[in-house]
Amino acid sequence: EAGVAQSPRYKIIEKRQSVAFWCNPISGHATLYWYQQILGQGPKLLIQFQNNGVVDDSQLPKDRFSAERLKGVDSTLKIQPAKLEDSAVYLCASSVSPNEKLFFGSGTQLSVL
Amino acid sequence: GQNIDQPTEMTATEGAIVQINCTYQTSGFNGLFWYQQHAGEAPTFLSYNVLDGLEEKGRFSSFLSRSKGYSYLLLKELQMKDSASYLCAVKDSNYQLIWGAGTKLIIKP
């Protein structure tokens, strides 16, 4: 069974530039999550989708971050404009349902200079 | 507020046993997860507890006491590859996952 696919693996940008991350969850997984993880901390939920609807985006900085999950499968997360404090690993995860365990992708390590 | 507490770092010797504790204060409880995360990699699932007691899975066991808001992960016969961070996460009454900051486990020969 294929896992959660994410790209790119690494990204370096300058502050005020924009960046986009892509995620393809495990086939059949209705729930998709985007997390931000800063070194030495636990994952912080940015947004949770159930199929193509948003369940929780309370911690998403909506003035600069946006996410979509068209057709309830792939998802993209965008940052525009980026700030220095956005430097982190962005993890995508999926699960069969909100009650089930999460499977994580390999993450995108973002460095904002 | 909701809170998960874990030790920041622990050190153990290869071949020994180590217990990583997790205490939680959440609005409701619908299960507790343990994940392992090697440096530079994504978290991988280790265990899930929803009822009180001990769940054993090979060298790893996880214990839960809901009345005490407490769990631990027990690792036996430690190997060098067990050096990683161990994350505790609790599902609250809304089935939202609350994550701890993780415990970095260092294994020495």
Side-chain angles (χ1 to χ4, degrees), chain B residues 11-18 77-80 105-109:
Chain B
T11 303
T13 305
E14 189 177 15
I17 299 172
V18 71
E77 301 169 16
L78 287 170
Q79 303 175 10
M80 297 304 293
L105 178 62
I106 300 169
I107 309 297
K108 295 186 175 180

Side-chain angles (χ1 to χ4, degrees), chain B residues 19-105:
Chain B
Q19 177 175 310
I20 302 174
N21 295 325
C22 170
T23 58
Y24 61 89
Q25 294 169 316
T26 56
S27 55
F29 177 86
N30 278 300
L32 184 144
F33 294 85
W34 283 98
Y35 278 79
Q36 179 190 58
Q37 186 174 26
H38 285 100
E41 298 181 14
T44 55
F45 171 79
L46 285 178
S47 68
Y48 174 65
N49 295 69
V50 65
L51 299 176
D52 290 351
L54 187 68
E55 295 274 348
E56 297 186 79
K57 193 186 295 185
R59 293 188 299 114
F60 291 11
S61 302
S62 57
F63 170 84
L64 174 67
S65 169
R66 289 171 295 172
S67 63
K68 295 182 179 178
Y70 168 71
S71 172
Y72 67 73
L73 181 69
L74 191 71
L75 291 74
K76 302 176 184 176
E77 301 169 16
L78 287 170
Q79 303 175 10
M80 297 304 293
K81 67 178 182 180
D82 298 330
S83 291
S85 286
Y86 292 85
L87 297 162
C88 174
V90 173
K91 274 194 185 289
D92 67 11
S93 56
N94 294 320
Y95 293 92
Q96 301 305 310
L97 260 182
I98 312 301
W99 292 84
T103 298
K104 183 179 180 180
L105 178 62

